Amino acid sequence: MAQTVLYVQEHGYDSYEELYKTAESIDRKMAAARSDARFKEVKLKEVNEQIHYLGQYLSTKSVYGDFLKSGNKKSFRQAQAEDIAKYEEALRILKQHSPDGKFPTMKDLRAEKEQLTIQKDAQYDTYHYFKDYHRELQAVCANVDNILGTEREAQREQQKSRKNKPSL
């Protein structure tokens, strides 16, 4: 109890309502930081997918070019079916991510991945900070509730005993 009172005094909480509002505010900030971090994870997953398919596209581009130049496309397709299928899949996926028809460079995608990773890590650090602070405030709120509950119970008992005592 003494530590709770000391904590409340050190942090300048003048009322229970102020303490409770701060706890709610930290809870909202914690949820926002977590949401932002998850959004960055989704974007990072998309960039990783683009990196994968851009690499697949670039590695099979020459085979597909040879396919287009070949005289007997049917036999060439049978011989190189796997590479042609990979090229076509990569092309389809990359077009989905690039509505303007221009594919990003591998350098740009890697730079974006690095930036998103830094931002995601920063958001998770912020989330963990708010999570720890929220836990601390919840414990303080629970202790204050307990202290106030004990005091209120003592006041009720005193009032009951006053009513039951015969007056002089």
Side-chain angles (χ1 to χ4, degrees):
M1 287 197 314
Q3 287 179 336
T4 300
V5 172
L6 182 63
Y7 181 91
V8 168
Q9 289 173 345
E10 284 179 353
H11 290 85
Y13 296 114
D14 295 329
S15 67
Y16 179 76
E17 290 76 27
E18 184 181 342
L19 177 65
Y20 185 74
K21 285 180 184 178
T22 302
E24 285 181 334
S25 171
I26 295 300
D27 186 46
R28 285 190 299 275
K29 289 177 182 178
M30 178 182 69
R34 185 174 184 191
S35 175
D36 290 346
R38 287 188 173 176
F39 177 74
K40 298 294 184 203
E41 282 181 340
V42 169
K43 293 289 291 173
L44 189 59
K45 187 176 179 181
E46 290 174 7
V47 169
N48 280 333
E49 181 182 45
Q50 284 182 308
I51 289 171
H52 170 77
Y53 284 110
L54 184 61
Q56 185 172 306
Y57 169 80
L58 293 173
S59 69
T60 57
K61 187 177 180 181
S62 63
V63 173
Y64 195 78
D66 293 342
F67 165 69
L68 293 176
K69 293 175 190 173
S70 74
N72 189 353
K73 290 187 178 6
K74 185 176 182 179
S75 65
F76 192 90
R77 183 178 280 281
Q78 287 176 346
Q80 301 292 328
E82 187 177 326
D83 285 341
I84 292 171
K86 283 182 179 180
Y87 174 85
E88 290 171 344
E89 177 188 26
L91 185 63
R92 181 180 53 80
I93 300 288
L94 288 172
K95 281 184 178 180
Q96 287 176 356
H97 288 288
S98 303
D100 62 353
K102 186 177 179 184
F103 299 155
T105 65
M106 191 64 80
K107 182 180 178 182
D108 291 343
L109 288 174
R110 287 190 176 136
E112 185 178 358
K113 177 182 177 177
E114 183 178 333
Q115 189 64 30
L116 284 170
T117 301
I118 290 168
Q119 291 172 354
K120 177 192 70 123
D121 292 344
Q123 283 303 125
Y124 270 118
D125 288 345
T126 302
Y127 164 71
H128 289 297
Y129 167 78
F130 285 132
K131 183 178 178 182
D132 292 342
Y133 190 31
H134 185 255
R135 247 192 233 134
E136 186 177 291
L137 286 176
Q138 281 183 322
V140 169
C141 285
N143 288 345
V144 168
D145 285 341
N146 191 17
I147 292 168
L148 294 176
T150 305
E151 288 178 8
R152 288 181 187 149
E153 197 64 38
Q155 288 174 353
R156 285 186 204 132
E157 287 180 21
Q158 286 178 353
Q159 288 174 353
K160 286 180 185 178
S161 66
R162 287 183 196 154
K163 289 179 182 177
N164 292 338
K165 282 187 179 178
S167 52
L168 298 172

